Amino acid sequence: MDARLPKTYEEFNEARKASFMKVKEYKEAGGRLVGFLCSYTPLEIIDAAGAAAVGLCGTSDETISAAESMLPANLCPLIKSTYGFAYSQKCPFTYFSDLIVGETTCDGKKKMYELLADLKPVHVLHLPQGSSRPHEAEGWYQEVRFFKEELERRFGITITDDDLRAAVRRRNRLRRALISLYEVQMATPAPMPGVELMSTLMAGTFSFDVTEFTGKVEALAAKYAAKAQAGEGVSPNAKRIMLTGCPSGGLINKVGRVIEENGGSIVCLDDCGGERTNRMLVDEDADDILRAIADRYLAINCSVMTPNEGRFENSLAMAKKYQVDGVVDCILQACHTFNIEATRMQQVVEAAGIPYMKLETDYSAGDTGQLETRLAAFIEML
């Protein structure tokens, strides 16, 4: 098992060095590592292959200048950041991955994966454009089967239905734990700072052990459920905010923290890593467990799908469930599908009498002051 450190290792700060050493030790002990970016990645298949599924670094502007030596500047920051971390060898999870799993969720990503394949082994899942037609579901099922066969070939293993079913049960337990954690925020006042909720979700994508992380989430949910029962939490005057739109992992400080420092309380996360997706379980008792896995992932309401009515229905239901005072729609620059859907989201939310605000931003600090001014004014208006 090749677990050599990158040549620039000595230039890294101590926290990054520690992360590299942790992953290096995991690899030297025989661990398999599969990196992923998207909620459409069928994690149960990676788990069943005896590998750790880890999210790739791609949520800061640290490596974007390096990425722009290969990619256009007017591209989504998540795509540029992900490629930049691979190109500069600064992300331990990307650097040590045995395989990176991509997906055709957008044109920028699928072309970036062609360049990424020059740096690391890459397998791209081909998504259909929608999920309502029978041939789309069947085509996606074959993609999921092809992915399973790729992992079997790459690692010299056989993934059985029993392996898949056990992985499904572990992932479903984690999803139920996450739902319990989300739902503590239904209390008034919300017991948990929204920034902590966002950070917990981010940490989960970098965990090697699903069961261990599930235990941590269950303990955290119990802790905050007790606080809710005791009436403890954020300021009772804080305005209840739902975040929707693009993946928010790179905006925890730039948007999340600013909301909560200016009188808001993030009670609900409606991005692809939030409650909307984790509420979807795989049927553990299905006769065809592989098809049940495929069906669960195809039902994700991402803006790349057309039509995508399920997203708006879900967002409105969550806004009502969490009794939100306002909705903030976070759009990463050059993410055209979410940007266009923002028009529909605004119509749906405002028709229900809920104030709406759209933020279009990237990972840089250039517009931080402007964002803070706009968010503070929005929250004050609620």
Side-chain angles (χ1 to χ4, degrees):
M1 184 68 66
D2 186 358
R4 290 174 292 181
L5 292 165
K7 294 177 181 178
T8 54
Y9 172 76
E10 291 303 329
E11 300 172 14
F12 298 158
N13 62 34
E14 292 306 313
R16 181 160 294 162
K17 284 183 178 180
S19 293
F20 264 95
M21 292 307 299
K22 177 183 176 183
V23 185
K24 181 176 185 290
E25 290 165 5
Y26 173 81
K27 291 283 292 181
E28 287 176 336
R32 301 167 182 153
L33 205 62
V34 176
F36 71 96
L37 280 85
C38 180
S39 295
Y40 280 107
T41 307
L43 301 179
E44 289 84 354
I45 298 176
I46 299 173
D47 297 344
V54 291
L56 301 182
C57 305
T59 56
S60 86
D61 67 344
E62 178 185 350
T63 62
I64 283 180
S65 60
E68 288 178 348
S69 68
M70 300 290 287
L71 299 172
N74 61 339
L75 190 63
C76 161
L78 187 152
I79 298 173
K80 290 192 291 184
S81 181
T82 300
Y83 181 80
F85 272 105
Y87 185 72
S88 60
Q89 299 186 338
K90 288 186 174 181
C91 175
F93 310 105
T94 309
Y95 180 80
F96 281 118
S97 286
D98 296 297
L99 179 70
I100 290 173
V101 185
E103 76 307 315
T104 56
T105 44
C106 76
D107 292 343
K109 268 190 181 180
K110 71 184 183 186
K111 300 309 289 186
M112 180 272 283
Y113 292 138
E114 295 177 10
L115 299 181
L116 188 60
D118 293 332
L119 308 175
K120 298 292 296 185
V122 174
H123 179 89
V124 178
L125 295 158
H126 287 228
L127 277 165
Q129 298 295 300
S131 59
S132 58
R133 300 172 184 176
H135 69 269
E136 290 171 326
E138 183 59 30
W140 175 243
Y141 171 67
Q142 295 302 331
E143 277 295 314
V144 171
R145 177 179 293 282
F146 183 49
F147 177 48
K148 169 180 170 288
E149 292 169 353
E150 167 62 17
L151 291 182
E152 289 176 321
R153 182 196 65 78
R154 181 168 295 276
F155 294 131
I157 59 173
T158 298
I159 299 173
T160 68
D161 280 2
D162 286 343
D163 295 331
L164 291 171
R165 211 173 294 275
V168 164
R169 293 193 176 105
R170 284 193 299 273
R171 285 285 169 184
N172 277 353
R173 180 188 162 197
L174 173 56
R175 293 178 184 122
R176 292 186 185 101
L178 287 167
I179 293 302
S180 296
L181 183 61
Y182 299 139
E183 290 185 339
V184 300
Q185 297 294 77
M186 292 172 65
T188 304
M192 185 178 191
V195 168
E196 183 177 353
L197 178 59
M198 297 170 76
S199 299
T200 299
L201 299 181
M202 274 285 289
T205 65
F206 301 130
S207 174
F208 297 165
D209 189 320
V210 176
T211 302
E212 179 184 24
F213 182 66
T214 300
K216 292 178 180 178
V217 174
E218 289 170 340
L220 198 60
K223 168 188 169 182
Y224 280 106
K227 283 183 174 289
Q229 187 71 27
E232 301 174 3
V234 303
S235 168
N237 297 320
K239 299 302 180 181
R240 301 172 65 86
I241 302 296
M242 179 172 88
L243 284 187
T244 189
C246 293
S248 59
L251 303 174
I252 293 174
N253 288 316
K254 188 173 183 179
V255 175
R257 197 172 299 280
V258 168
I259 287 173
E260 300 204 314
E261 289 176 349
N262 284 276
S265 170
I266 299 168
V267 297
C268 178
L269 289 175
D270 184 39
D271 64 4
C272 59
E275 180 172 335
R276 168 165 54 93
T277 302
N278 282 297
R279 188 166 289 282
M280 301 164 55
L281 304 181
V282 179
D283 182 357
E284 299 175 6
D285 301 314
D287 291 335
D288 187 340
I289 192 64
L290 187 65
R291 188 174 291 276
I293 292 170
D295 288 348
R296 181 264 174 196
Y297 283 88
L298 187 59
I300 291 173
N301 296 314
C302 178
S303 66
V304 300
M305 293 294 181
T306 186
N308 193 34
E309 292 303 309
R311 180 187 170 212
F312 307 114
E313 294 168 2
N314 179 83
S315 296
L316 186 57
M318 288 178 64
K320 292 178 178 178
K321 171 182 173 180
Y322 286 89
Q323 303 176 66
V324 303
D325 297 305
V327 171
V328 175
D329 200 353
C330 297
I331 310 297
L332 293 175
Q333 287 176 359
C335 185
H336 304 310
T337 55
F338 271 108
N339 210 346
I340 294 170
E341 276 199 355
T343 300
R344 287 289 315 282
M345 183 62 72
Q346 181 174 7
Q347 293 169 347
V348 168
V349 168
E350 291 185 345
I354 304 170
Y356 168 93
M357 179 182 186
K358 172 184 165 183
L359 289 179
E360 188 174 354
T361 188
D362 60 11
Y363 295 155
S364 74
D367 61 345
T368 301
Q370 180 190 65
L371 284 189
E372 183 163 2
T373 300
R374 292 185 61 204
L375 283 166
F378 178 70
I379 294 166
E380 185 177 355
M381 173 271 295
L382 297 177

PDB file of all heavy atoms in Angstrom, residues 354-376:
ATOM      1  N   ILE A 354     -43.997  33.915   3.517  1.00  0.00           N
ATOM      2  CA  ILE A 354     -42.707  33.836   4.193  1.00  0.00           C
ATOM      3  C   ILE A 354     -41.708  34.710   3.451  1.00  0.00           C
ATOM      4  O   ILE A 354     -41.509  34.547   2.241  1.00  0.00           O
ATOM      5  CB  ILE A 354     -42.196  32.379   4.249  1.00  0.00           C
ATOM      6  CG1 ILE A 354     -43.229  31.475   4.923  1.00  0.00           C
ATOM      7  CG2 ILE A 354     -40.857  32.305   4.989  1.00  0.00           C
ATOM      8  CD1 ILE A 354     -42.915  29.991   4.806  1.00  0.00           C
ATOM      9  N   PRO A 355     -41.039  35.642   4.126  1.00  0.00           N
ATOM     10  CA  PRO A 355     -40.032  36.482   3.461  1.00  0.00           C
ATOM     11  C   PRO A 355     -38.884  35.642   2.902  1.00  0.00           C
ATOM     12  O   PRO A 355     -38.483  34.639   3.494  1.00  0.00           O
ATOM     13  CB  PRO A 355     -39.555  37.409   4.585  1.00  0.00           C
ATOM     14  CG  PRO A 355     -40.695  37.457   5.548  1.00  0.00           C
ATOM     15  CD  PRO A 355     -41.300  36.081   5.513  1.00  0.00           C
ATOM     16  N   TYR A 356     -38.368  36.089   1.766  1.00  0.00           N
ATOM     17  CA  TYR A 356     -37.350  35.331   1.030  1.00  0.00           C
ATOM     18  C   TYR A 356     -36.191  36.246   0.679  1.00  0.00           C
ATOM     19  O   TYR A 356     -36.390  37.419   0.341  1.00  0.00           O
ATOM     20  CB  TYR A 356     -37.969  34.751  -0.244  1.00  0.00           C
ATOM     21  CG  TYR A 356     -36.985  34.181  -1.243  1.00  0.00           C
ATOM     22  CD1 TYR A 356     -36.653  32.834  -1.236  1.00  0.00           C
ATOM     23  CD2 TYR A 356     -36.398  34.999  -2.214  1.00  0.00           C
ATOM     24  CE1 TYR A 356     -35.759  32.305  -2.172  1.00  0.00           C
ATOM     25  CE2 TYR A 356     -35.500  34.483  -3.140  1.00  0.00           C
ATOM     26  CZ  TYR A 356     -35.183  33.136  -3.118  1.00  0.00           C
ATOM     27  OH  TYR A 356     -34.298  32.611  -4.036  1.00  0.00           O
ATOM     28  N   MET A 357     -34.970  35.698   0.727  1.00  0.00           N
ATOM     29  CA  MET A 357     -33.789  36.447   0.312  1.00  0.00           C
ATOM     30  C   MET A 357     -32.857  35.519  -0.463  1.00  0.00           C
ATOM     31  O   MET A 357     -32.567  34.402  -0.030  1.00  0.00           O
ATOM     32  CB  MET A 357     -33.037  37.001   1.529  1.00  0.00           C
ATOM     33  CG  MET A 357     -31.780  37.761   1.169  1.00  0.00           C
ATOM     34  SD  MET A 357     -30.903  38.332   2.646  1.00  0.00           S
ATOM     35  CE  MET A 357     -29.625  39.319   1.904  1.00  0.00           C
ATOM     36  N   LYS A 358     -32.399  35.976  -1.623  1.00  0.00           N
ATOM     37  CA  LYS A 358     -31.438  35.215  -2.428  1.00  0.00           C
ATOM     38  C   LYS A 358     -30.052  35.817  -2.271  1.00  0.00           C
ATOM     39  O   LYS A 358     -29.878  37.025  -2.388  1.00  0.00           O
ATOM     40  CB  LYS A 358     -31.851  35.241  -3.899  1.00  0.00           C
ATOM     41  CG  LYS A 358     -30.833  34.660  -4.865  1.00  0.00           C
ATOM     42  CD  LYS A 358     -31.320  34.831  -6.297  1.00  0.00           C
ATOM     43  CE  LYS A 358     -30.213  34.617  -7.310  1.00  0.00           C
ATOM     44  NZ  LYS A 358     -30.666  34.848  -8.689  1.00  0.00           N
ATOM     45  N   LEU A 359     -29.079  34.952  -1.982  1.00  0.00           N
ATOM     46  CA  LEU A 359     -27.675  35.357  -1.889  1.00  0.00           C
ATOM     47  C   LEU A 359     -26.894  34.632  -2.964  1.00  0.00           C
ATOM     48  O   LEU A 359     -26.871  33.401  -2.995  1.00  0.00           O
ATOM     49  CB  LEU A 359     -27.081  35.000  -0.531  1.00  0.00           C
ATOM     50  CG  LEU A 359     -27.516  35.758   0.709  1.00  0.00           C
ATOM     51  CD1 LEU A 359     -26.792  35.194   1.925  1.00  0.00           C
ATOM     52  CD2 LEU A 359     -27.237  37.244   0.566  1.00  0.00           C
ATOM     53  N   GLU A 360     -26.242  35.375  -3.855  1.00  0.00           N
ATOM     54  CA  GLU A 360     -25.358  34.761  -4.843  1.00  0.00           C
ATOM     55  C   GLU A 360     -23.930  35.121  -4.469  1.00  0.00           C
ATOM     56  O   GLU A 360     -23.578  36.300  -4.392  1.00  0.00           O
ATOM     57  CB  GLU A 360     -25.696  35.265  -6.245  1.00  0.00           C
ATOM     58  CG  GLU A 360     -24.943  34.529  -7.334  1.00  0.00           C
ATOM     59  CD  GLU A 360     -25.399  34.929  -8.738  1.00  0.00           C
ATOM     60  OE1 GLU A 360     -26.371  35.692  -8.859  1.00  0.00           O
ATOM     61  OE2 GLU A 360     -24.748  34.466  -9.712  1.00  0.00           O
ATOM     62  N   THR A 361     -23.109  34.097  -4.213  1.00  0.00           N
ATOM     63  CA  THR A 361     -21.779  34.367  -3.668  1.00  0.00           C
ATOM     64  C   THR A 361     -20.805  33.268  -4.072  1.00  0.00           C
ATOM     65  O   THR A 361     -21.152  32.325  -4.787  1.00  0.00           O
ATOM     66  CB  THR A 361     -21.864  34.505  -2.130  1.00  0.00           C
ATOM     67  OG1 THR A 361     -20.606  34.952  -1.627  1.00  0.00           O
ATOM     68  CG2 THR A 361     -22.230  33.185  -1.462  1.00  0.00           C
ATOM     69  N   ASP A 362     -19.563  33.398  -3.595  1.00  0.00           N
ATOM     70  CA  ASP A 362     -18.560  32.352  -3.792  1.00  0.00           C
ATOM     71  C   ASP A 362     -17.830  32.153  -2.473  1.00  0.00           C
ATOM     72  O   ASP A 362     -18.342  32.511  -1.416  1.00  0.00           O
ATOM     73  CB  ASP A 362     -17.604  32.708  -4.933  1.00  0.00           C
ATOM     74  CG  ASP A 362     -16.848  34.018  -4.687  1.00  0.00           C
ATOM     75  OD1 ASP A 362     -16.894  34.544  -3.549  1.00  0.00           O
ATOM     76  OD2 ASP A 362     -16.209  34.521  -5.630  1.00  0.00           O
ATOM     77  N   TYR A 363     -16.639  31.568  -2.497  1.00  0.00           N
ATOM     78  CA  TYR A 363     -15.924  31.280  -1.258  1.00  0.00           C
ATOM     79  C   TYR A 363     -14.947  32.386  -0.857  1.00  0.00           C
ATOM     80  O   TYR A 363     -14.290  32.292   0.174  1.00  0.00           O
ATOM     81  CB  TYR A 363     -15.138  29.973  -1.392  1.00  0.00           C
ATOM     82  CG  TYR A 363     -15.993  28.735  -1.570  1.00  0.00           C
ATOM     83  CD1 TYR A 363     -15.488  27.611  -2.205  1.00  0.00           C
ATOM     84  CD2 TYR A 363     -17.301  28.690  -1.095  1.00  0.00           C
ATOM     85  CE1 TYR A 363     -16.258  26.461  -2.362  1.00  0.00           C
ATOM     86  CE2 TYR A 363     -18.085  27.556  -1.262  1.00  0.00           C
ATOM     87  CZ  TYR A 363     -17.545  26.440  -1.902  1.00  0.00           C
ATOM     88  OH  TYR A 363     -18.305  25.316  -2.051  1.00  0.00           O
ATOM     89  N   SER A 364     -14.841  33.429  -1.659  1.00  0.00           N
ATOM     90  CA  SER A 364     -13.886  34.486  -1.349  1.00  0.00           C
ATOM     91  C   SER A 364     -14.445  35.422  -0.283  1.00  0.00           C
ATOM     92  O   SER A 364     -15.637  35.398   0.032  1.00  0.00           O
ATOM     93  CB  SER A 364     -13.559  35.285  -2.609  1.00  0.00           C
ATOM     94  OG  SER A 364     -14.657  36.117  -2.952  1.00  0.00           O
ATOM     95  N   ALA A 365     -13.569  36.290   0.246  1.00  0.00           N
ATOM     96  CA  ALA A 365     -13.983  37.258   1.264  1.00  0.00           C
ATOM     97  C   ALA A 365     -14.370  38.600   0.661  1.00  0.00           C
ATOM     98  O   ALA A 365     -14.751  39.523   1.380  1.00  0.00           O
ATOM     99  CB  ALA A 365     -12.846  37.460   2.274  1.00  0.00           C
ATOM    100  N   GLY A 366     -14.315  38.709  -0.666  1.00  0.00           N
ATOM    101  CA  GLY A 366     -14.509  39.994  -1.307  1.00  0.00           C
ATOM    102  C   GLY A 366     -15.855  40.650  -1.058  1.00  0.00           C
ATOM    103  O   GLY A 366     -15.948  41.877  -0.988  1.00  0.00           O
ATOM    104  N   ASP A 367     -16.897  39.849  -0.929  1.00  0.00           N
ATOM    105  CA  ASP A 367     -18.238  40.415  -0.741  1.00  0.00           C
ATOM    106  C   ASP A 367     -18.762  40.222   0.675  1.00  0.00           C
ATOM    107  O   ASP A 367     -19.962  40.373   0.929  1.00  0.00           O
ATOM    108  CB  ASP A 367     -19.217  39.801  -1.737  1.00  0.00           C
ATOM    109  CG  ASP A 367     -19.360  38.289  -1.560  1.00  0.00           C
ATOM    110  OD1 ASP A 367     -18.500  37.680  -0.873  1.00  0.00           O
ATOM    111  OD2 ASP A 367     -20.306  37.705  -2.109  1.00  0.00           O
ATOM    112  N   THR A 368     -17.883  39.906   1.615  1.00  0.00           N
ATOM    113  CA  THR A 368     -18.321  39.604   2.986  1.00  0.00           C
ATOM    114  C   THR A 368     -19.057  40.784   3.614  1.00  0.00           C
ATOM    115  O   THR A 368     -20.116  40.606   4.241  1.00  0.00           O
ATOM    116  CB  THR A 368     -17.117  39.198   3.856  1.00  0.00           C
ATOM    117  OG1 THR A 368     -16.489  38.048   3.286  1.00  0.00           O
ATOM    118  CG2 THR A 368     -17.564  38.868   5.265  1.00  0.00           C
ATOM    119  N   GLY A 369     -18.522  41.966   3.480  1.00  0.00           N
ATOM    120  CA  GLY A 369     -19.161  43.134   4.072  1.00  0.00           C
ATOM    121  C   GLY A 369     -20.544  43.374   3.505  1.00  0.00           C
ATOM    122  O   GLY A 369     -21.500  43.676   4.238  1.00  0.00           O
ATOM    123  N   GLN A 370     -20.657  43.244   2.191  1.00  0.00           N
ATOM    124  CA  GLN A 370     -21.951  43.435   1.541  1.00  0.00           C
ATOM    125  C   GLN A 370     -22.963  42.382   2.010  1.00  0.00           C
ATOM    126  O   GLN A 370     -24.126  42.705   2.296  1.00  0.00           O
ATOM    127  CB  GLN A 370     -21.784  43.339   0.031  1.00  0.00           C
ATOM    128  CG  GLN A 370     -23.070  43.529  -0.763  1.00  0.00           C
ATOM    129  CD  GLN A 370     -22.882  43.175  -2.225  1.00  0.00           C
ATOM    130  OE1 GLN A 370     -22.624  42.018  -2.558  1.00  0.00           O
ATOM    131  NE2 GLN A 370     -22.990  44.169  -3.093  1.00  0.00           N
ATOM    132  N   LEU A 371     -22.526  41.126   2.109  1.00  0.00           N
ATOM    133  CA  LEU A 371     -23.415  40.065   2.578  1.00  0.00           C
ATOM    134  C   LEU A 371     -23.892  40.335   3.998  1.00  0.00           C
ATOM    135  O   LEU A 371     -25.072  40.128   4.320  1.00  0.00           O
ATOM    136  CB  LEU A 371     -22.703  38.705   2.523  1.00  0.00           C
ATOM    137  CG  LEU A 371     -22.522  38.023   1.171  1.00  0.00           C
ATOM    138  CD1 LEU A 371     -22.006  36.609   1.369  1.00  0.00           C
ATOM    139  CD2 LEU A 371     -23.813  38.000   0.384  1.00  0.00           C
ATOM    140  N   GLU A 372     -22.978  40.753   4.847  1.00  0.00           N
ATOM    141  CA  GLU A 372     -23.354  41.018   6.236  1.00  0.00           C
ATOM    142  C   GLU A 372     -24.391  42.138   6.312  1.00  0.00           C
ATOM    143  O   GLU A 372     -25.365  42.045   7.060  1.00  0.00           O
ATOM    144  CB  GLU A 372     -22.123  41.385   7.074  1.00  0.00           C
ATOM    145  CG  GLU A 372     -22.452  41.598   8.541  1.00  0.00           C
ATOM    146  CD  GLU A 372     -21.231  41.557   9.438  1.00  0.00           C
ATOM    147  OE1 GLU A 372     -20.107  41.408   8.922  1.00  0.00           O
ATOM    148  OE2 GLU A 372     -21.419  41.676  10.659  1.00  0.00           O
ATOM    149  N   THR A 373     -24.196  43.185   5.521  1.00  0.00           N
ATOM    150  CA  THR A 373     -25.157  44.290   5.512  1.00  0.00           C
ATOM    151  C   THR A 373     -26.535  43.816   5.046  1.00  0.00           C
ATOM    152  O   THR A 373     -27.564  44.149   5.660  1.00  0.00           O
ATOM    153  CB  THR A 373     -24.660  45.415   4.590  1.00  0.00           C
ATOM    154  OG1 THR A 373     -23.394  45.892   5.073  1.00  0.00           O
ATOM    155  CG2 THR A 373     -25.644  46.574   4.541  1.00  0.00           C
ATOM    156  N   ARG A 374     -26.556  43.018   3.981  1.00  0.00           N
ATOM    157  CA  ARG A 374     -27.838  42.536   3.445  1.00  0.00           C
ATOM    158  C   ARG A 374     -28.533  41.578   4.403  1.00  0.00           C
ATOM    159  O   ARG A 374     -29.747  41.667   4.609  1.00  0.00           O
ATOM    160  CB  ARG A 374     -27.609  41.848   2.097  1.00  0.00           C
ATOM    161  CG  ARG A 374     -27.186  42.795   0.974  1.00  0.00           C
ATOM    162  CD  ARG A 374     -27.099  42.025  -0.337  1.00  0.00           C
ATOM    163  NE  ARG A 374     -28.405  41.453  -0.683  1.00  0.00           N
ATOM    164  CZ  ARG A 374     -28.549  40.383  -1.468  1.00  0.00           C
ATOM    165  NH1 ARG A 374     -27.478  39.755  -1.942  1.00  0.00           N
ATOM    166  NH2 ARG A 374     -29.754  39.929  -1.753  1.00  0.00           N
ATOM    167  N   LEU A 375     -27.758  40.657   4.997  1.00  0.00           N
ATOM    168  CA  LEU A 375     -28.360  39.692   5.924  1.00  0.00           C
ATOM    169  C   LEU A 375     -28.875  40.389   7.174  1.00  0.00           C
ATOM    170  O   LEU A 375     -29.966  40.072   7.667  1.00  0.00           O
ATOM    171  CB  LEU A 375     -27.340  38.612   6.299  1.00  0.00           C
ATOM    172  CG  LEU A 375     -27.099  37.538   5.229  1.00  0.00           C
ATOM    173  CD1 LEU A 375     -25.845  36.728   5.546  1.00  0.00           C
ATOM    174  CD2 LEU A 375     -28.311  36.604   5.108  1.00  0.00           C
ATOM    175  N   ALA A 376     -28.110  41.328   7.716  1.00  0.00           N
ATOM    176  CA  ALA A 376     -28.546  42.053   8.899  1.00  0.00           C
ATOM    177  C   ALA A 376     -29.843  42.811   8.623  1.00  0.00           C
ATOM    178  O   ALA A 376     -30.774  42.828   9.446  1.00  0.00           O
ATOM    179  CB  ALA A 376     -27.453  43.013   9.369  1.00  0.00           C
TER     180      ALA A 376
END
